[in-house]
Amino acid sequence: MLQIACFDTGFHHAMPAIASHLALPRTLSDRGFRRYGFHGLSYEYIALRLRELDPILAQGRVLAAHLGNGASMCAMRGGVSIDTTMGFTALDGLMMGTRTGSIDPGVVVHLQLQEGFSAGEVESLLYRQSGLLGVSGVSSDMRALHASADPHAAEAIELFVWSAARQASALIGSLEGLDGIIFTAGIGENDPIIRAAICARLAWAGVRLDEGANVSGADVISRSDSDVTVRVIPTDEERMIAMHTSNLLEHEQGTDS
Ligand SMILES: Nc1ncnc2c1ncn2[C@@H]1O[C@H](COP(=O)(O)OP(=O)(O)O)[C@@H](O)[C@H]1O
Ligand SMILES: CC(=O)OP(=O)(O)O
Ligand SMILES: [Mg+2]
């Protein structure tokens, strides 16, 4: 039976070598220890859709923010990924629902050597017990955090925003400037409070949000005098999988006949 796999890393494959290199010894980098990046199917869809909605912006320097349970950002130039926040695994970069995002790797070493954590316990801590859930002690779900009166919930939201803006700022550095931001996935598509808070921390890059458009869920949520166009585009990873599958099947049929 024919089986088809669509890799979530594929879109980032053309990243410059410098953006995919980890500063590890050659013996490890030669064996594939590098930054791969994830949410590639989502970013590929965003790049395609942006080309339809705003072809001029699609040619420019765009920061795409996939904020769901897993959260990452992608720096795109002309619709091509040039840098992204996830790396060898989907653990790096932004703070997420239950994952830490970037933390000092020394914490991992210390937990194992000084605190007696097993490798499995560390894995569970980093992937499933941290992030919004770990910091709030309430929930990994952004809606539940907004609804909670617990000050730790507010602290988790603040840290999520700070982490996102910090990662965004690094990608703006890779892009050497910024023409547009695209928000997508569960939080990015539906949460005007988080979008506004991240954009406020990116005012230094020329981002000016239209509060009314942001709250009403418009497609374009930046002000007309903003240097940076901010859009919300619902992602569709399943459509990309269907498209790749259909293209492959057509190719298969073409080579059969
Ligand atoms: N209306 C909403 N307002 C705020 N957050 C939302 C809303 N709808 C979904 N979310 C948040 O989106 C996140 C899930 O995103 P989603 O893209 O569905 O995740 P997954 O990575 O599992 O596909 C959760 O934190 C959820 O609270
Ligand atoms: C790659 C990744 O984090 O996926 P998800 O957002 O589905 O957790
Ligand atoms: Mg998802």
Side-chain angles (χ1 to χ4, degrees):
M1 190 175 60
L2 178 67
Q3 297 193 45
I4 294 173
C6 296
F7 289 92
D8 205 25
T9 52
F11 184 67
H12 303 294
H13 216 72
M15 279 197 312
I18 196 80
S20 56
H21 220 113
L22 290 169
L24 287 165
R26 293 270 162 198
T27 44
L28 287 173
S29 48
D30 289 349
R31 286 176 47 209
F33 285 85
R34 47 160 284 190
R35 304 183 64 246
Y36 291 96
F38 295 85
H39 290 139
L41 293 162
S42 176
Y43 294 129
E44 188 179 17
Y45 176 78
I46 296 296
L48 275 178
R49 190 76 187 108
L50 186 61
R51 216 172 296 154
E52 294 167 358
L53 295 169
D54 191 341
I56 293 173
L57 180 58
Q59 284 311 307
R61 298 160 298 180
V62 173
L63 176 80
H66 179 113
L67 310 178
N69 280 311
S72 74
M73 290 176 171
C74 177
M76 296 194 280
R77 199 195 279 273
V80 174
S81 172
I82 64 149
D83 196 0
T84 192
T85 57
M86 285 178 173
F88 180 69
T89 68
L91 198 52
D92 206 1
L94 280 77
M95 172 181 172
M96 312 182 206
T98 63
R99 287 172 239 161
T100 53
S102 300
I103 60 159
D104 178 355
V107 171
V108 175
V109 176
H110 188 92
L111 286 173
Q112 293 191 274
L113 294 182
Q114 258 76 44
E115 300 280 331
F117 277 53
S118 70
E121 283 167 343
V122 169
E123 185 198 35
S124 174
L125 181 83
L126 299 178
Y127 278 93
R128 291 182 288 282
Q129 299 167 33
S130 297
L132 292 174
L133 175 65
V135 176
S136 70
V138 172
S139 174
S140 64
D141 191 301
M142 190 58 89
R143 284 166 296 193
L145 297 185
H146 285 308
S148 169
D150 190 324
H152 290 162
E155 201 176 3
I157 294 173
E158 199 183 349
L159 190 56
F160 180 86
V161 168
W162 181 84
S163 161
R166 188 171 189 252
Q167 295 287 328
S169 300
L171 292 189
I172 295 167
S174 291
L175 286 167
E176 298 177 45
L178 187 66
D179 301 308
I181 299 178
I182 312 297
F183 283 105
T184 195
I187 298 169
E189 291 166 25
N190 298 300
D191 194 331
I193 298 169
I194 298 296
R195 289 194 301 253
I198 294 173
C199 286
R201 282 190 171 273
L202 297 176
W204 67 268
V207 180
R208 299 281 179 277
L209 211 59
D210 178 330
E211 292 299 336
N214 181 39
V215 170
S216 68
D219 294 345
V220 177
I221 60 170
S222 46
R223 285 190 348 213
S224 54
D225 65 345
S226 178
D227 292 340
V228 175
T229 303
V230 186
R231 282 181 166 273
V232 178
I233 301 181
T235 195
D236 197 344
E237 292 150 296
E238 289 79 8
R239 178 180 290 269
M240 287 319 305
I241 294 171
M243 258 182 64
H244 286 302
T245 305
S246 160
N247 290 345
L248 262 173
L249 287 175
E250 268 172 37
H251 179 78
E252 279 283 309
Q253 278 160 5
T255 51
D256 280 355
S257 57

